[in-house]
Amino acid sequence: MKGYVFHGPGQSAWEEVPDPEIREPGDVIVRVDAVTICGTDLHILKGDVPEVRPGTVLGHEAVGEVVEAGADVRTVRPGDRVLVSCITACGRCRFCREGMYGQCRGGGGWTLGHLVDGTQAEYVRVPFADLSVYPLPGALANEDAVLLADIFPTAYEVGVLNGRVRPGDTVVVVGAGPVGLAAIATARLFGPERVVAVDLAASRLQAAKEFGADAVADAGEGPEQLVEDLTGELGADVVIEAVGVPETFELCTRVVRPGGHVANVGVHGTPATLHLEDLWIKNVTITTGLVDTHSTPALLRMAASGRLPTRRLVSHTFPLDQMQEAYDVFANAAETGALKVVLGVPQHEVVPVHPTI
């Protein structure tokens, strides 16, 4: 088969790789019908995630069909259409028992496209299938479902839930990329008074308005003043960092109010300064986190009922074999206007054909 292989910082290719095989009785093999590219994949290509070894197939989000299942798999079988989660879970270790699947110590956690071959390929092996793939309702299209593999659970759990968004809050989302937009959409589920989006790109600020932001601010033009004006100089109740660079993290700590929450979602490749000389007296809570995907079943139900704006995040689609072109478009979002790119086989309704006699 073919897959998108990381060969070291700045080096990658769509090329022939070995077909995946069942290695453990809890594994499944999934034929990939839809896959997407994450900002974390770009961090890997920059060398920000040194645990990824050269030769690894990238990708940790997919929708596809189970083509083979190990002897211990009970929840899916060959022929089932499934969501492949970005997080796998052994289900037995202490962290899994506490619902912290992202911290799994039994061989799961973020493994796909990180420690083992991932989903940006024609087929993928998924370990611990009973807790790591989700059967999909037929009404949920591939382009919608694949966005529930990572960005919506990440935005919701690491941003909105960790940030403890409550009714009447002022929520500032720094970074209006795909995860930031998903954070805006899911924050609105909790009835905040206002959501403010901050970004450098005018196209993404416009997208933020479409996803429910009440106000937007150019990151280069002093968003602190806008937040002060909107809150009577108190600051934001919740600030969600969705970029992953020192400047945006430090901006978050400047606009949060005393007693407020900063929820860091972005993947950081370099150190950021924690200004405790200012923060020690402000009773600020700062959270970090890798998504656990405990919310995936609920998000799937919301998406199937039309409660989540999943499809609106998809700006570009490509055949699976145009992976490099898709990466180029996604990596140059400021020029291309890319939000989320989806690759794969178009989904068609299956119509039974009855032979004539």
Side-chain angles (χ1 to χ4, degrees):
M1 70 169 188
K2 286 193 172 182
Y4 194 69
V5 181
F6 172 71
H7 289 294
Q11 303 176 58
S12 54
W14 177 255
E15 60 187 42
E16 293 284 343
V17 294
D19 291 343
E21 299 178 346
I22 298 289
R23 298 182 185 177
E24 301 291 340
D27 293 351
V28 294
I29 306 297
V30 175
R31 184 196 69 219
V32 174
D33 293 332
V35 67
T36 185
I37 301 170
C38 179
T40 303
D41 297 320
L42 301 183
H43 281 281
I44 293 171
L45 290 175
K46 290 177 184 177
D48 291 344
V49 189
E51 299 86 3
V52 182
R53 295 173 296 179
T56 301
V57 176
L58 296 183
H60 49 266
E61 309 157 85
V63 167
E65 181 181 313
V66 176
V67 296
E68 188 176 356
D72 288 351
V73 176
R74 296 290 180 266
T75 60
V76 294
R77 59 185 180 181
D80 285 350
R81 179 170 164 263
V82 296
L83 172 71
V84 178
S85 175
C86 65
I87 298 296
T88 56
C90 77
R92 298 184 295 272
C93 71
R94 173 176 175 173
F95 290 120
C96 283
R97 287 177 177 272
E98 294 176 356
M100 297 174 62
Y101 306 126
Q103 304 301 322
C104 175
R105 292 296 184 268
W110 174 34
T111 58
L112 295 172
H114 180 209
L115 305 178
V116 302
D117 286 338
T119 58
Q120 291 171 6
E122 294 174 316
Y123 294 86
V124 61
R125 179 183 72 91
V126 184
F128 307 115
D130 282 342
L131 287 172
S132 308
V133 301
Y134 298 83
L136 289 172
L140 195 59
N142 290 344
E143 294 87 346
D144 294 296
V146 74
L147 301 185
L148 301 175
D150 184 357
I151 64 165
F152 268 92
T154 294
Y156 182 58
E157 295 177 18
V158 186
V160 175
L161 296 184
N162 280 4
R164 299 187 181 180
V165 176
R166 295 177 299 180
D169 277 354
T170 291
V171 179
V172 175
V173 179
V174 179
V179 171
L181 295 175
I184 292 169
T186 51
R188 297 224 66 93
L189 297 171
F190 289 83
E193 179 181 0
R194 63 177 67 88
V195 177
V196 181
V198 178
D199 203 285
L200 286 169
S203 61
R204 291 197 163 183
L205 292 177
Q206 179 58 41
K209 293 179 183 178
E210 296 169 3
F211 275 76
D214 302 289
V216 298
D218 188 311
E221 297 181 358
E224 296 96 329
Q225 187 61 54
L226 174 63
V227 175
E228 283 194 9
D229 293 344
L230 290 173
T231 62
E233 300 186 355
L234 291 177
D237 300 284
V238 181
V239 189
I240 297 173
E241 199 285 340
V243 181
V245 297
E247 295 80 6
T248 53
F249 175 78
E250 292 171 31
L251 170 63
C252 291
T253 63
R254 291 196 300 271
V255 300
V256 69
R257 69 165 174 83
H261 289 75
V262 174
N264 184 88
V265 184
V267 178
H268 290 264
T270 56
T273 301
L274 182 62
H275 288 283
L276 286 176
E277 74 277 12
D278 297 323
L279 295 171
W280 73 271
I281 201 170
K282 294 179 67 175
N283 295 20
V284 171
T285 299
I286 298 174
T287 57
T288 65
L290 175 66
V291 65
D292 294 311
T293 65
H294 61 75
S295 67
T296 299
L299 292 171
L300 278 169
R301 293 193 297 271
M302 284 193 280
S305 63
R307 294 289 306 279
L308 297 178
T310 46
R311 183 71 63 91
R312 287 161 53 192
L313 268 174
V314 179
S315 59
H316 296 74
T317 58
F318 298 87
L320 194 60
D321 60 3
Q322 291 184 11
M323 189 68 69
Q324 187 58 62
E325 181 180 349
Y327 260 92
D328 292 341
V329 168
F330 185 64
N332 294 285
E335 292 78 31
T336 63
L339 294 175
K340 203 67 174 169
V341 300
V342 173
L343 302 96
V345 180
Q347 185 179 4
H348 299 290
E349 183 179 358
V350 177
V351 179
V353 176
H354 302 285
T356 57
I357 297 176

